[in-house]
Amino acid sequence: MGNTGFYGIIPESIFHLPNLETLVLQNNNQLSGYFPKTKWNSSASLIELDLSGVNFSDNLPESIGYLTSVHSLSLKYCNLRGPIPESLLNLTRIEDLDLQYNSLNGTIPSGMFSLPSLSRLVLSNNHFSGQFEDFNSNSLIWIDLSNNQLQGHLPKSIQNHVNLTGLILSFNNFSGHVDVSFLADIKQLYYLDLSYNRISLTNENKHNVTLPGSLMSLQLAACEVKELEFLRSAKLLWQLDLSNNKIQGRIPDWAWTNWMFLLQRLNLSHNMLESVDSIPLLFIEAIDLRSNLLQGSLPIPPISTRFFFISHNNLTEEIPSDICNLTSLVMLDLARNNLKGAIPQCLGNISGLEVLDMHHNRLSGTLPTTFRIGSALKSFNFHGNKLEGKIPQSLTNCKQLDVLDLGDNHLNDTFPMWLVTLPKLKVLSLRSNKLHGSIRTLTTENMFPQLRILDLSSNAFSKSLPTSLFQHLKAMSTVDQTMNAPSDEGDRYYQDSVALVTKGLELEVVRILFLYTTIDLSNNKFEGFIPSIMGDLIALRVLNLSHNGLQGHIPSSLGSLSSVESLDLSSNHLVGEIPARFASVTSLEVLNLSYNHLEGCIPQGPQFDTFENNSYEGNDRLRGFPLSKSCGNDGNDSETNDTTSRLDDEESDSEFLNDFWKAALMGYGSGLCIGLSIIYFMFSTGNPRWLARIIVELEHKIMMGRRKKQQRQRSYRRRNNSLT
């Protein structure tokens, strides 16, 4: 009853059915259950048990040792935790044991590798520690211990297991030197993965190594491999991963000859290869040559290529139009080279192309404009080139588009309002171009329903911030605690990235785009008020509206942004007080309200106590910690502080005021015109702000004179009345 959509809790009585031989409930992700703590399946009739994907969130019980007849036990993706119970070694008839993708920990019982019938053991993606001890088994043919924390040297006994077909030990902490000659005796081995440990692969015999003739998949990423000579005898390879090693120079001709007819996936990324003139592989599916020292022109792979990655090199020529002959392309990554010239327009005609990434090159001209209806394009990244012209409207045909990054170019256009109809768009970055005009959007409730990153900074957008845009950003208005990372076939090869300014730093955000939320509209010409509806975007982590011409008060609704980590409203014309609700935003790490016209007391709270003066500079009428102007506890204190501040200003300006009164008296003595001329001369050579202070001072003196005169008159009347 697998894949049936069952939900709820498995009745424990099922585990006690006395004659049950097969129980298969795999891939019912909304189903949960509890293992019996006492003996279950009393007659030990159970032969096959598959509960993969069922949520147990529990330890494996000792009672599992009663299933002595079981041949196949699969409990992967079950949220299991704790150690493997010793009682599991009672399962002497078990042939297939799969506990991958759980949270099991502790050491692996050494006797598990010697279970008499066990042929397939999969314990990958857990938290096992300790060492992989020597073992003796005549039945084991497949061992997968990858993605754990195992350490120590690889057991020498491995080479004695001549029937072993698969050995996967990647992503652990194994160490020491491993000579490739240990593979020679494992004649049946066809799948070997030792990647990402701390081992160093050596070849003491150099030319005399004979690898198993059956070897089809060899993955030795980050194994200190320096040369390819040990692969001379490997002629059946269909997958080869030698990435993150120290291979230099060029690929020898004999390698291309060996690999020509069978190799489908080749990963030589992160080495020191200097040239690849051609790739004579007939049936290649994926080629990864990222992060080498390749120079010159772009090599064109065979037409069978689906995944082609050659980013982070030093390719300098133009992209040949022959690239469009690769009609099977799914992913093309040419990023971070020095490619120049125009982008082949025909790339838009490859209907199955999902990733087109050429960011950080020197490409010029215009973007491809021929994207067809039904295009499979998911990621379109040309950030950091010299592209001109407009944003092609044919992108509306790309209904699967997730990421659109055209930042740091010379595009000259208005806001592409038609993009709002793309139902899956998560990232829109148009920063640092020559885009202009107001942001007008279509009136539709399905406007950017999945958008999580919006970066329009450093353009020339003007007018008011579009309230209608912020009303429908559903993905920014909901904090989904259950959101998981997306998973698809391409994740093995490519990770989306986007350049963002967050918390004052420019970073390249990789792979976490599904949970990162930001709006950056800084360095434009926006005017008017900040829409209060922006407070509904409670999933926002970064909000940057700085360096615009925004006016009015800061909406108190922004205090509802409970997830915001960076808030920048600096260099605008905002007035009034900082909303007191801001003090309750405990996630806030960076706050910049500088260079506005804010006043009043800075809110007090745990986060606000961590901000320094530069968060508030340029707001002369703000008071409170961390500024030097005290805020006080009541109105009298506040009035006293204002008075003190005013008196300080008066004292500092006294010299100018004395000069002013002298000039005024001279005006009375020598004639009004001469006096006004002297005052005008003083104003024209000083700062005009003094004029406002002089007027305020005059008004103050006049008002004080009137009050004193009125007080004398009232005193005189009271005295006369008392005498009468």
Side-chain angles (χ1 to χ4, degrees):
M1 295 185 289
N3 298 285
T4 53
F6 279 138
Y7 58 90
I9 299 176
I10 301 174
E12 186 176 325
S13 57
I14 289 179
F15 296 112
H16 294 290
L17 292 172
N19 300 314
L20 186 67
E21 294 183 359
T22 300
L23 177 58
V24 179
L25 294 170
Q26 91 279 6
N27 299 329
N28 290 297
N29 298 326
Q30 298 184 59
L31 197 60
S32 59
Y34 301 93
F35 291 115
K37 302 302 181 184
T38 58
K39 184 175 181 178
W40 44 306
N41 192 235
S42 56
S43 63
S45 59
L46 199 62
I47 295 175
E48 180 183 3
L49 178 62
D50 188 349
L51 301 175
S52 304
V54 177
N55 182 21
F56 282 92
S57 298
D58 197 1
N59 291 21
L60 274 174
E62 289 286 341
S63 61
I64 201 168
Y66 290 109
L67 306 179
T68 54
S69 296
V70 74
H71 289 186
S72 177
L73 176 61
S74 181
L75 299 174
K76 58 187 177 184
Y77 296 98
C78 287
N79 291 317
L80 298 173
R81 54 178 183 262
I84 294 178
E86 288 287 335
S87 64
L88 195 139
L89 300 182
N90 296 333
L91 309 185
T92 55
R93 297 184 183 182
I94 193 166
E95 299 173 1
D96 190 335
L97 176 60
D98 192 343
L99 301 177
Q100 63 179 309
Y101 286 97
N102 283 290
S103 297
L104 298 170
N105 55 33
T107 58
I108 302 172
S110 57
M112 183 171 291
F113 297 98
S114 301
L115 287 170
S117 301
L118 188 63
S119 61
R120 180 177 178 269
L121 176 62
V122 181
L123 303 177
S124 59
N125 294 279
N126 280 284
H127 306 300
F128 293 118
S129 56
Q131 297 190 359
F132 185 11
E133 303 288 351
D134 280 316
F135 64 98
N136 183 21
S137 172
N138 294 322
S139 60
L140 266 175
I141 62 174
W142 188 275
I143 301 175
D144 185 354
L145 307 179
S146 60
N147 287 278
N148 282 285
Q149 288 114 41
L150 301 172
Q151 57 190 9
H153 295 282
L154 296 183
K156 294 181 179 180
S157 60
I158 288 179
Q159 60 189 4
N160 299 327
H161 292 78
V162 294
N163 296 322
L164 202 62
T165 60
L167 180 62
I168 307 171
L169 304 176
S170 56
F171 293 97
N172 279 285
N173 295 315
F174 294 119
S175 58
H177 294 276
V178 177
D179 195 278
V180 292
S181 61
F182 92 97
L183 298 173
D185 295 328
I186 313 177
K187 302 297 185 180
Q188 306 299 319
L189 190 68
Y190 75 84
Y191 197 109
L192 176 65
D193 188 354
L194 303 179
S195 301
Y196 298 103
N197 283 282
R198 293 183 294 165
I199 65 175
S200 178
L201 200 72
T202 61
N203 181 12
E204 295 179 358
N205 295 323
K206 297 297 181 183
H207 304 283
N208 298 324
V209 177
T210 301
L211 296 181
S214 58
L215 194 61
M216 299 179 68
S217 178
L218 180 61
Q219 300 178 61
L220 299 173
C223 287
E224 298 287 329
V225 177
K226 298 180 181 179
E227 47 84 25
L228 300 175
E229 191 62 37
F230 72 98
L231 291 175
R232 272 187 180 269
S233 62
K235 298 184 179 181
L236 295 180
L237 288 174
W238 64 270
Q239 177 171 281
L240 177 61
D241 186 352
L242 296 175
S243 60
N244 290 278
N245 281 294
K246 300 179 179 180
I247 304 171
Q248 301 183 28
R250 57 186 295 274
I251 300 173
D253 293 337
W254 62 258
W256 292 126
T257 303
N258 281 5
W259 304 338
M260 183 180 297
F261 295 103
L262 291 177
L263 197 66
Q264 297 180 32
R265 298 175 184 174
L266 174 63
N267 189 345
L268 294 173
S269 65
H270 297 84
N271 278 283
M272 293 177 279
L273 295 172
E274 295 175 1
S275 66
V276 177
D277 299 327
S278 62
I279 306 175
L281 302 175
L282 299 183
F283 304 106
I284 194 72
E285 176 189 75
I287 306 175
D288 194 340
L289 297 171
R290 285 176 283 198
S291 298
N292 278 283
L293 303 174
L294 301 177
Q295 302 180 22
S297 59
L298 175 70
I300 301 299
I303 59 174
S304 61
T305 306
R306 299 179 66 226
F307 305 93
F308 185 35
F309 307 102
I310 196 168
S311 63
H312 294 78
N313 281 283
N314 192 28
L315 303 175
T316 55
E317 302 300 323
E318 296 185 0
I319 301 173
S321 58
D322 292 348
I323 195 78
C324 296
N325 294 332
L326 307 180
T327 54
S328 298
L329 269 180
V330 175
M331 296 184 181
L332 178 61
D333 182 1
L334 309 179
R336 293 190 180 274
N337 281 281
N338 287 301
L339 295 167
K340 61 183 180 180
I343 303 167
Q345 292 289 313
C346 52
L347 284 172
N349 297 327
I350 303 178
S351 59
L353 190 63
E354 295 180 5
V355 172
L356 184 55
D357 189 347
M358 299 185 184
H359 74 268
H360 286 97
N361 279 282
R362 294 185 295 152
L363 299 171
S364 55
T366 60
L367 290 162
T369 59
T370 57
F371 296 100
R372 296 178 177 179
I373 294 176
S375 170
L377 196 64
K378 293 182 178 179
S379 183
F380 189 67
N381 192 341
F382 283 85
H383 188 107
N385 282 282
K386 301 178 181 180
L387 300 172
E388 301 176 339
K390 297 183 180 298
I391 301 170
Q393 191 164 350
S394 64
L395 283 171
T396 54
N397 295 328
C398 306
K399 300 301 183 184
Q400 305 301 315
L401 196 62
D402 282 335
V403 176
L404 177 59
D405 189 347
L406 303 177
D408 287 305
N409 280 285
H410 306 303
L411 300 174
N412 192 337
D413 201 352
T414 56
F415 182 73
M417 67 181 73
W418 35 267
L419 286 176
V420 304
T421 61
L422 295 178
K424 297 185 178 181
L425 191 65
K426 296 181 179 67
V427 177
L428 175 59
S429 177
L430 303 175
R431 59 175 294 187
S432 299
N433 278 285
K434 299 178 181 179
L435 305 179
H436 54 273
S438 60
I439 295 182
R440 295 183 295 116
T441 57
L442 301 175
T443 304
T444 172
E445 292 186 1
N446 293 320
M447 186 186 305
F448 290 137
Q450 298 296 323
L451 195 66
R452 302 186 66 83
I453 294 177
L454 176 63
D455 191 347
L456 306 179
S457 61
S458 300
N459 281 285
F461 289 117
S462 58
K463 302 295 179 63
S464 299
L465 294 176
T467 301
S468 59
L469 172 63
F470 307 120
Q471 285 177 335
H472 303 293
L473 299 178
K474 296 179 182 178
M476 296 188 187
S477 303
T478 305
V479 179
D480 188 356
Q481 301 291 348
T482 64
M483 181 176 292
N484 295 317
S487 177
D488 55 42
E489 180 69 14
D491 286 350
R492 296 177 296 171
Y493 303 111
Y494 180 82
Q495 296 178 334
D496 283 312
S497 65
V498 63
L500 293 173
V501 175
T502 175
K503 302 178 185 179
L505 300 173
E506 182 166 342
L507 303 173
E508 185 173 15
V509 179
V510 180
R511 195 64 185 96
I512 61 170
L513 303 183
F514 71 99
L515 55 80
Y516 207 80
T517 47
T518 180
I519 291 179
D520 191 345
L521 305 179
S522 62
N523 290 285
N524 279 285
K525 300 178 181 179
F526 289 115
E527 303 171 350
F529 302 103
I530 299 175
S532 60
I533 198 170
M534 294 188 77
D536 293 342
L537 308 179
I538 58 174
L540 270 181
R541 293 176 181 266
V542 176
L543 176 60
N544 191 347
L545 304 178
S546 66
H547 294 87
N548 281 287
L550 299 173
Q551 304 168 354
H553 291 73
I554 300 174
S556 62
S557 62
L558 296 187
S560 300
L561 302 179
S562 56
S563 300
V564 71
E565 298 171 7
S566 177
L567 177 62
D568 192 345
L569 305 178
S570 63
S571 298
N572 281 287
H573 305 302
L574 301 173
V575 299
E577 298 184 347
I578 302 172
R581 290 180 64 184
F582 277 24
S584 62
V585 184
T586 56
S587 60
L588 197 58
E589 298 177 14
V590 175
L591 175 68
N592 193 349
L593 303 176
S594 61
Y595 298 103
N596 281 285
H597 307 297
L598 301 174
E599 60 185 27
C601 294
I602 297 173
Q604 298 300 300
Q607 292 302 110
F608 273 77
D609 292 344
T610 66
F611 302 137
E612 299 180 357
N613 288 25
N614 55 8
S615 294
Y616 311 105
E617 62 185 345
N619 294 282
D620 295 336
R621 301 186 66 183
L622 274 180
R623 306 186 306 277
F625 182 84
L627 303 180
S628 57
K629 297 179 182 178
S630 174
C631 202
N633 297 322
D634 54 42
N636 294 332
D637 289 344
S638 177
E639 183 176 348
T640 302
N641 290 331
D642 287 342
T643 304
T644 303
S645 176
R646 184 173 58 79
L647 291 176
D648 290 340
D649 289 341
E650 289 175 3
E651 182 176 348
S652 63
D653 300 341
S654 59
E655 183 176 43
F656 180 86
L657 291 173
N658 289 336
D659 292 341
F660 170 77
W661 291 117
K662 290 178 183 178
L665 292 173
M666 290 172 64
Y668 281 107
S670 305
L672 182 61
C673 292
I674 297 175
L676 290 175
S677 298
I678 295 171
I679 296 171
Y680 173 79
F681 175 77
M682 294 176 65
F683 283 177
S684 63
T685 57
N687 193 323
R689 67 188 178 89
W690 294 110
L691 179 59
R693 294 191 176 185
I694 292 168
I695 294 172
V696 171
E697 181 67 18
L698 286 173
E699 182 180 7
H700 177 71
K701 290 180 178 293
I702 293 171
M703 292 299 296
M704 292 300 294
R706 288 179 178 175
R707 289 179 182 176
K708 290 180 180 179
K709 183 176 181 180
Q710 291 172 354
Q711 289 176 353
R712 286 197 297 267
Q713 290 176 343
R714 284 196 293 269
S715 299
Y716 179 77
R717 291 194 189 100
R718 284 198 297 269
R719 187 168 57 249
N720 287 341
N721 290 336
S722 62
L723 290 174
T724 305

